[in-house]
Amino acid sequence: MSVKKENWGSKIGLVLAMAGNAIGFGNFLRFPIQAIENGGGAFIIPYLVCFVLMGIPLLFVEWTIGRYGGKFGFHSTPFIMNKMGRKVIWRYIGVFGIFSNLVIASYYCYIESWTLSYVYHSIIGTFRDLSQHEVAALFNDYHNTNTTLSGIPYENILFYLLCLTINIYILSKGLRGGIEKVAIWGVPLLIILGIILAIKGVSIQEGEHGAVVNGLEGLNFLWTPHYESLWDPKVWFAAAGQMFFTLSVGMGCIQCYASYIRQNQDIALSSLATGFMNEFVEIVLGGTILISISVGFFGLETVQSMVTEEGGFGIAFQTLPFLFQKWGPWLGAFMGVAFFGLLFIAGITSSLAMCTPIVSFLQDDYNVQKKKAALITGTAVLICGIPTILFFKEGVFDEYDYWAGTASLFFFAMMQVILFSWVFGIRKSWKEFTRAADIRVPLIFKYILLYITPILLIVIFLTAFFKPAQDDWSAISLRGWEVDKTSILGKIKGKDVGPNNQWFADTLYSDVHGRVIGIVQKEDGHYLDIACLNENCLMNGYVKSYPLKEKSQNLVCKDTIVSIGTPIMAGSFINPIFYISLARYFLILLFVGISFAVYIAARKKYKKVKS
């Protein structure tokens, strides 16, 4: 039985679906945090330069690759890139376009489930009359399967299954009946909710409801330029990294969506429209909401400290529910529903885009019908995602995010630009891109794609791979240098693991510098808490909790100052490196498995052509 060919019902549906793909958690959680960490206005100039030199060119590349592949009936990157590159190696480089989407979707749906859960808790009033510490504790408890915020057993797993079910149902309806309908209603609603929250944030007045400064102070911080940042490599790397997250490039989603475009349909104006819509949501709404509200109630210095300790997820889920309650129970509940509802819409429009290449691969290359393909995709996401839930605190979630959500994206984007500009050839690529264009694209972008974008991507990737310890670039030498623990090579070598670097051990070592608080009883057991200290031996507000098991023995006394590597417990321990290692092996096997599935599909195509 043949699979019915699909396409988009309208141009506005396509643009909104593409915008929904790009608009995600990175717009509302990651961008403001990156801006705060990198000096506010100091971040904006490099960010906008990266948008012009990398963001827009990568959109051009991926829309073009997608529409070109659709002309031959290909809707997933392995066979699209094989067709353009005419070498088998490009088929398996294209596997990243399925692998990354599957892995990212598996933990992205878990974040979605947090937002849906927080909508529910905002409605029933879970956060009312709670201190900030208690709200933060709720978020930490949410990841324990044996605790619950509202009496629902295994709440985090149930909400994950609910989000996954919603995704599968929409995917089973196809492009027009499912994804396009969600985008047409969801993206405008997201923008409306974002505008409401942004207005409420900037209208915060000092002294009202406990605000310490006006909400506009946050915007002043974001939009006051600091030109000295142009010479700081760290800010440029952060801006480049944010560009990948915000535009969803380097994943394979855009190529899949674009492959369903009619061959005489414009992609030049459409790609720019989705890019600028995403930037509006990110800079104007995403930056305004979180920064203005948090700075208004806490002040800039406190927020900068909180970002260092908690990150974007920490402020969104551990702090904002507390701040919303300052407006009173009813307005606070509305703000909670609006904010977490906005995040849910942003999340689901992105996760649908991630799952679509997998569904398309199954339909195209294994002749699987739409509903069955959606169900198989959802099952695969579930199998990959369960470890991120069960072993969230052991670092599996972060490991998935690093390898599939960061390293793979940079590598795949770099290879796509090389394919577009140098292998397929810039003349043919530019002609394909501008065919049926509704606007005249400035010719300068042709040369940006040929030289600047590929060079920038190669430099960024190599820098991320070989980054020296503590960003000391003067240490680079032909005799070698020590790589940073955050570099790709450093991660491979295990430099980021710390003192608890054995799978199984009889001693647990402190991986923080701090003062021992003592044994603390919590809902799910007893913990040894250590208050972290900064370089001046002052508490920085972050507490590291180590679970104390029945047969483990505490080796440190209350108020003792411990350093990284100090023995703190004796007993029998399974260290997080065990789960992290298993996660890495699983990702490798998953990539090999997808590659094998692509190989089988290629063999089927070859036999079909030969016969």
Side-chain angles (χ1 to χ4, degrees):
M1 184 183 296
S2 62
V3 177
K4 183 180 177 182
K5 181 175 175 61
E6 290 193 284
N7 51 49
W8 298 101
S10 64
K11 189 170 183 178
I12 186 64
L14 165 66
V15 170
L16 289 176
M18 283 286 197
N21 163 47
I23 298 170
F25 298 129
N27 297 72
F28 297 98
L29 302 182
R30 196 175 189 276
F31 171 77
I33 297 309
Q34 289 294 314
I36 292 171
E37 286 183 331
N38 292 284
F43 181 72
I44 294 298
I45 296 175
Y47 175 81
L48 294 177
V49 171
C50 287
F51 176 63
V52 173
L53 298 182
M54 286 195 300
I56 292 176
L58 280 169
L59 287 174
F60 291 168
V61 167
E62 298 199 351
W63 279 71
T64 305
I65 289 175
R67 189 181 67 175
Y68 179 83
K71 180 165 57 177
F72 301 97
F74 301 141
H75 302 98
S76 58
T77 52
F79 293 104
I80 295 176
M81 296 184 74
N82 192 179
K83 184 68 177 178
M84 292 188 73
R86 301 187 181 278
K87 298 286 186 181
V88 174
I89 185 64
W90 289 105
R91 182 193 305 157
Y92 296 101
I93 291 174
V95 168
F96 280 98
I98 297 177
F99 167 78
S100 296
N101 280 304
L102 177 57
V103 178
I104 296 172
S106 69
Y107 66 82
Y108 205 87
C109 284
Y110 187 37
I111 306 174
E112 265 178 53
S113 71
W114 305 349
T115 65
L116 194 59
S117 171
Y118 272 52
V119 168
Y120 168 71
H121 287 293
S122 296
I123 293 172
I124 66 173
T126 302
F127 305 117
R128 291 180 187 173
D129 303 321
L130 294 183
S131 67
Q132 184 189 355
H133 177 74
E134 290 171 325
V135 171
L138 286 179
F139 181 70
N140 291 326
D141 290 342
Y142 183 83
H143 303 294
N144 294 328
T145 55
N146 56 345
T147 61
T148 175
L149 305 188
S150 58
I152 303 175
Y154 303 105
E155 181 175 341
N156 59 339
I157 295 177
L158 289 177
F159 272 103
Y160 181 74
L161 293 174
L162 176 59
C163 282
L164 200 53
T165 301
I166 295 171
N167 276 272
I168 293 171
Y169 174 77
I170 297 170
L171 287 168
S172 70
K173 297 297 181 179
L175 289 181
R176 289 193 186 188
I179 295 171
E180 188 171 344
K181 282 187 176 180
V182 170
I184 288 174
W185 288 97
V187 174
L189 177 60
L190 179 152
I191 293 173
I192 292 170
L193 291 174
I195 291 172
I196 293 172
L197 287 162
I199 292 173
K200 187 63 181 174
V202 298
S203 63
I204 292 174
Q205 297 295 315
E206 181 180 351
E208 292 185 3
H209 307 291
V212 297
V213 296
N214 294 334
L216 287 173
E217 289 295 319
L219 288 189
N220 291 336
F221 169 71
L222 183 62
W223 289 106
T224 301
H226 298 280
Y227 299 105
E228 64 273 14
S229 67
L230 297 176
W231 309 108
D232 187 348
K234 174 179 173 289
V235 177
W236 283 95
F237 294 143
Q242 177 61 24
M243 195 54 58
F244 280 83
F245 278 88
T246 187
L247 293 176
S248 294
V249 291
M251 294 177 63
C253 306
I254 293 175
Q255 298 92 316
C256 180
Y257 274 8
S259 69
Y260 291 100
I261 296 173
R262 297 179 181 89
Q263 291 305 306
N264 60 349
Q265 188 172 340
D266 159 82
I267 59 174
L269 180 60
S270 297
S271 59
L272 282 174
T274 58
F276 281 105
M277 186 183 300
N278 176 79
E279 293 309 295
F280 166 78
V281 171
E282 176 155 293
I283 298 176
V284 178
L285 301 183
T288 301
I289 294 169
L290 191 144
I291 293 178
S292 62
I293 294 176
S294 57
V295 170
F297 282 108
F298 286 123
L300 180 58
E301 291 185 3
T302 301
V303 171
Q304 288 175 315
S305 176
M306 291 167 62
V307 164
T308 303
E309 297 164 13
E310 302 175 6
F313 290 144
I315 291 183
F317 293 95
Q318 299 182 40
T319 301
L320 286 185
F322 165 73
L323 296 182
F324 291 152
Q325 303 309 309
K326 290 179 175 291
W327 281 307
W330 296 108
L331 183 56
F334 171 79
M335 294 293 287
V337 171
F339 179 71
F340 293 109
L342 174 151
L343 290 181
F344 177 72
I345 296 170
I348 198 166
T349 52
S350 296
S351 62
L352 289 171
M354 296 171 198
C355 292
T356 302
I358 308 165
V359 172
S360 296
F361 173 69
L362 293 170
Q363 288 184 286
D364 290 351
D365 302 308
Y366 284 90
N367 210 31
V368 179
Q369 294 301 302
K370 182 167 52 183
K371 291 184 179 180
K372 188 176 180 181
L375 184 59
I376 293 173
T377 299
T379 303
V381 170
L382 176 63
I383 292 171
C384 294
I386 283 296
T388 69
I389 302 174
L390 298 180
F391 307 114
F392 178 85
K393 294 186 176 180
E394 282 75 21
V396 173
F397 181 102
D398 294 331
E399 202 66 18
Y400 274 33
D401 183 51
Y402 182 84
W403 292 110
T406 303
S408 292
L409 301 192
F410 273 101
F411 176 77
F412 190 44
M414 177 181 68
M415 297 308 294
Q416 283 185 111
V417 175
I418 293 172
L419 173 65
F420 180 93
S421 299
W422 291 95
V423 178
F424 191 66
I426 192 63
R427 288 186 179 180
K428 287 195 293 182
S429 296
W430 189 258
K431 184 178 180 181
E432 174 66 26
F433 169 62
T434 55
R435 180 168 54 82
D438 290 340
I439 59 171
R440 183 180 294 275
V441 183
L443 194 61
I444 185 65
F445 278 103
K446 181 177 180 179
Y447 298 99
I448 289 174
L449 279 164
L450 187 60
Y451 300 112
I452 297 178
T453 304
I455 290 173
L456 284 175
L457 290 172
I458 291 170
V459 168
I460 291 170
F461 181 76
L462 292 178
T463 300
F465 199 95
F466 296 108
K467 178 183 176 184
Q470 300 176 342
D471 278 332
D472 182 11
W473 294 95
S474 63
I476 293 179
S477 165
L478 293 175
R479 292 175 294 179
W481 62 90
E482 182 183 357
V483 294
D484 193 79
K485 65 180 181 179
T486 62
S487 68
I488 295 176
L489 191 56
K491 294 277 285 187
I492 293 173
K493 289 184 173 183
K495 287 183 172 290
D496 61 324
V497 174
N500 298 300
N501 51 20
Q502 295 181 335
W503 284 12
F504 310 106
D506 55 14
T507 304
L508 186 69
Y509 303 95
S510 173
D511 52 13
V512 296
H513 172 60
R515 182 188 300 274
V516 177
I517 297 175
I519 305 299
V520 178
Q521 183 175 356
K522 300 181 182 180
E523 184 179 345
D524 59 334
H526 290 80
Y527 289 80
L528 173 64
D529 280 0
I530 298 178
C532 300
L533 303 177
N534 59 22
E535 295 177 352
N536 298 320
C537 290
L538 299 175
M539 291 182 62
N540 62 16
Y542 178 71
V543 175
K544 182 67 180 285
S545 295
Y546 297 89
L548 189 67
K549 299 180 180 178
E550 288 185 13
K551 296 183 180 180
S552 57
Q553 178 185 359
N554 182 22
L555 299 179
V556 290
C557 300
K558 185 178 180 180
D559 293 329
T560 301
I561 302 296
V562 297
S563 300
I564 296 174
T566 301
I568 56 175
M569 286 189 204
S572 180
F573 304 98
I574 302 177
N575 288 318
I577 185 60
F578 170 72
Y579 303 101
I580 290 172
S581 297
L582 290 185
R584 290 182 180 179
Y585 297 148
F586 173 75
L587 292 178
I588 293 171
L589 287 174
L590 181 63
F591 187 88
V592 171
I594 296 172
S595 298
F596 183 70
V598 169
Y599 169 77
I600 296 298
R603 293 287 298 172
K604 288 173 60 179
K605 289 179 183 292
Y606 174 76
K607 289 180 180 179
K608 186 176 179 180
V609 171
K610 192 174 181 181
S611 62

